[in-house]
Amino acid sequence: MPGRLTGKRALVTGAASGIGLATARRFAAEGAEVALLDRDADGLAGALDQLRAAGDATVSAHACDVSDEDSVAAAIDAFHAGGPIDVVVANAAVQMFGRDAAAADLDVAVWRATIEVNLTGAFLTCKHGIRAMLEDGTQGSVVCTASPTGLRGSAPGFDAYSSSKAGVVGLVQVLAADYGRHGIRVNAVVPGFTETPLVTDVLQDDHARGQVLARIPLGRAGTVDEVAAAMLFLASDDASYATASVLVVDGGATGT
């Protein structure tokens, strides 16, 4: 049986680990040719080896700093040289634990570094991915990774991260309006508390973990594979009438 992305070509940023790697793995399993983009060269090489060992030969890796336009353009152009791009996942992000803070105490350098990766990086990925789609007349799908912290004030003391993710939601909605007439859909996935390297410290602290899980109706953290399934839905033709949507995958935490 063909997969849901058979014949499609997809790129995923932040693909060396966590949600990005899980998404790339799921896309490849569903028949897509996948480009993994990340600035972590060693992690990227390991991710590529992992996917190839699983039998996913149609994967490639491209070192890319999403905050640098030349780097983004070069990586996307390299993948585009092999054929049309059907799916773009703008997932790369940072969260500066111990440095992000409430506004009055927030160092502007931390603010700028967070915005540069999380919001400007998403913009640049979308910009050059959509440019490639327009050049080929591809009716593609763009999926950005947002956060509950960008929907409401659920992370006091993480003002830079929360603001950057609110910007991602706004970016998704205006891009959907800009490019819908070209047949390009733009949506967001909003993962809740998910077991990724980004939250390792919280996962290892029983007290902190318990406090977080107490606010989640399903009573547990999500998995990267559960988030990847949402990415797959929005990337696939199953979501052919979905654009400007924000798909929350957080165990019910946003609704409480």
Side-chain angles (χ1 to χ4, degrees), residues 67 96 106-118 120 160:
S67 68
M96 297 189 178
L106 179 57
D107 189 319
V108 71
V110 173
W111 169 270
R112 288 174 175 154
T114 302
I115 296 294
E116 280 295 289
V117 174
N118 296 4
T120 303

Side-chain angles (χ1 to χ4, degrees), residues 101-245:
D105 301 310
L106 179 57
D107 189 319
V108 71
V110 173
W111 169 270
R112 288 174 175 154
T114 302
I115 296 294
E116 280 295 289
V117 174
N118 296 4
L119 182 53
T120 303
F123 159 68
L124 291 173
T125 302
C126 293
K127 173 183 177 178
H128 290 281
I130 290 172
R131 173 183 51 77
M133 292 176 180
L134 292 172
E135 287 178 8
D136 296 324
T138 302
Q139 295 192 355
S141 172
V142 177
V143 186
C144 297
T145 304
S147 169
T149 67
L151 301 179
R152 60 188 183 127
S154 59
F158 286 92
D159 290 19
Y161 182 80
S162 301
S163 299
S164 71
K165 289 299 187 177
V168 170
V169 173
L171 178 66
V172 162
Q173 293 176 342
V174 74
L175 290 178
D178 284 337
Y179 296 105
R181 296 297 180 187
H182 297 275
I184 297 172
R185 299 182 295 104
V186 187
N187 296 288
V189 170
V190 179
F193 185 68
T194 307
E195 294 184 2
T196 70
L198 196 64
V199 296
T200 297
D201 290 344
V202 177
L203 291 170
Q204 293 176 345
D205 183 322
D206 289 341
H207 177 68
R209 181 186 177 95
Q211 286 186 314
V212 171
L213 296 186
R215 297 194 293 269
I216 301 173
L218 289 185
R220 63 174 178 84
T223 70
V224 291
D225 290 332
E226 288 172 319
V227 179
M231 295 283 194
L232 172 63
F233 167 68
L234 290 175
S236 76
D237 291 340
D238 287 345
S240 58
Y241 199 54
T243 195
S245 66

